[in-house]
């Protein structure tokens, strides 16, 4: 029975994916994922034999070294193999590929008879929507799944190990990524944004136009200290205007 190492998502993405599984089931196309007891995931590696205890110990340490990260699923696709897979394709960011490569440095020490499709250089990161489909079912499944809003952005936050049998799957280990300080600014560009659109930005390009259309006045520090709020400034200026108008009438 094969062992599968998997990445898991935030709850909202899981719910979204389970909705797709339910739609495929309701359409009479496939119940392969919910029936098998699967959790929405990206498989990192699959093997037939594994030194469980030693691998689990290293996997726990590996998970503790990782921080949750964002990932995007921009498309629905199929594999041109006989297994009949329809899946969400994940954006193969450098962060995801580096994680996969680092994982396999550990996995290869304890795994035997690995599935070639999941090894470094062969891997296509994806989240399965259905498998075991005929050609006709694949067409129908794609049409159903095309109704989903894409791209979908998720947070990857856990890694686990499953054992798969003909009757379903069983979770053997589950490890969360290290927690991060949410008060820190995350200045990484999310994968759904096109970095090339930002390359021609000019600092202060519209500053003059903006200033011309506003009535913002910068107060000197000593004045600002005396008038700590917008209301205080306005009241003081109104009083000054009354004094000036009164002086004109003398």
């Amino acid at each position: 029975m094969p062992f599968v190492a998997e990445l898991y998502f935030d709850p909202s993405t899981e719910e979204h994916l389970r909705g797709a599984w339910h739609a495929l089931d309701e359409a009479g196309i496939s119940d392969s994922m919910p029936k098998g007891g699967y959790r929405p995931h990206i498989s990192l590696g699959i093997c037939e034999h594994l030194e469980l205890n030693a691998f689990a110990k290293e996997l726990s340490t590996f998970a503790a070294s990782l921080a949750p990260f964002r990932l995007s699923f921009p498309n629905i696709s199929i594999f041109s193999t006989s297994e009949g897979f329809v899946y969400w394709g994940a954006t193969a960011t450098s962060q995801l590929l580096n994680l996969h490569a680092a994982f396999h440095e550990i996995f290869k020490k304890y795994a035997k008879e690995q599935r070639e499709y999941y090894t470094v250089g062969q891997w296509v990161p994806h989240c399965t929507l259905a498998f075991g489909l005929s050609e006709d079912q694949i067409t129908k499944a794609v049409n159903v799944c095309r109704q989903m809003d894409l791209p979908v952005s998720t947070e990857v936050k856990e890694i686990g190990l499953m054992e798969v049998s003909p009757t379903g799957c069983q979770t053997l280990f589950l490890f969360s990524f290290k927690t991060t300080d949410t008060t820190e600014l995350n200045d990484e560009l999310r994968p759904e944004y096109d970095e090339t659109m930002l390359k021609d930005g000019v600092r202060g390009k519209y500053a003059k136009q903006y200033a011309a259309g506003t009535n913002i006045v910068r107060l000197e520090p000593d004045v600002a200290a005396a008038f700590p709020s917008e209301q205080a400034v306005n009241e003081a200026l109104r009083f000054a205007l009354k004094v000036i108008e009164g002086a004109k009438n003398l």
Side-chain angles (χ1 to χ4, degrees), residues 173-189:
F173 306 107
L174 182 64
F175 304 109
S176 297
F177 293 174
K178 67 180 179 181
T179 56
T180 56
D181 184 357
T182 56
T183 61
E184 293 182 2
L185 177 64
N186 180 5
D187 61 357
E188 293 295 323
L189 188 66

Side-chain angles (χ1 to χ4, degrees), residues 48-229:
E48 295 298 325
H49 305 283
L50 187 64
E51 296 178 40
L52 283 176
N53 292 334
F55 174 68
K57 184 177 180 179
E58 282 213 47
L59 187 64
S60 174
T61 302
F62 179 63
S65 72
L66 301 172
F69 63 94
R70 304 298 303 182
L71 188 64
S72 178
F73 294 95
N75 60 69
I76 296 168
S77 190
I78 65 173
F79 287 124
S80 57
T81 60
S82 60
E83 288 89 348
F85 271 82
V86 175
Y87 63 86
W88 264 358
T91 301
T93 62
S94 58
Q95 184 176 22
L96 181 61
L97 294 177
N98 289 339
L99 183 154
H100 180 254
F103 164 81
H104 272 270
E105 287 298 312
I106 300 170
F107 195 53
K108 69 183 182 182
K109 293 189 291 185
Y110 307 105
K112 296 181 180 179
E113 297 183 45
Q114 290 192 49
R115 300 281 177 88
E116 184 180 0
Y117 289 148
Y118 294 89
T119 58
V120 176
Q122 301 291 322
W123 183 56
V124 177
H126 66 279
C127 181
T128 301
L129 294 169
F131 64 90
L133 304 180
S134 66
E135 290 188 9
D136 181 59
Q137 287 175 320
I138 288 174
T139 301
K140 292 178 179 178
V142 170
N143 287 333
V144 169
C145 294
R146 284 175 61 190
Q147 307 306 313
M148 302 170 63
D149 292 330
L150 293 175
V152 171
S153 179
T154 187
E155 183 178 56
V156 180
K157 54 195 310 180
E158 292 178 320
I159 188 170
L161 182 70
M162 305 288 292
E163 185 176 19
V164 181
S165 71
T167 57
C169 60
Q170 176 186 2
T171 301
L172 301 179
F173 306 107
L174 182 64
F175 304 109
S176 297
F177 293 174
K178 67 180 179 181
T179 56
T180 56
D181 184 357
T182 56
T183 61
E184 293 182 2
L185 177 64
N186 180 5
D187 61 357
E188 293 295 323
L189 188 66
R190 290 187 176 183
E192 61 263 34
Y193 296 105
D194 184 358
E195 186 176 359
T196 61
M197 296 177 65
L198 306 178
K199 65 179 181 179
D200 297 322
V202 178
R203 186 180 182 89
K205 182 177 180 179
Y206 299 104
K208 290 184 178 180
Q209 294 97 312
Y210 176 77
T214 67
N215 60 353
I216 296 175
V217 177
R218 182 179 180 277
L219 301 180
E220 293 296 331
D222 58 325
V223 178
F227 302 98
S229 69

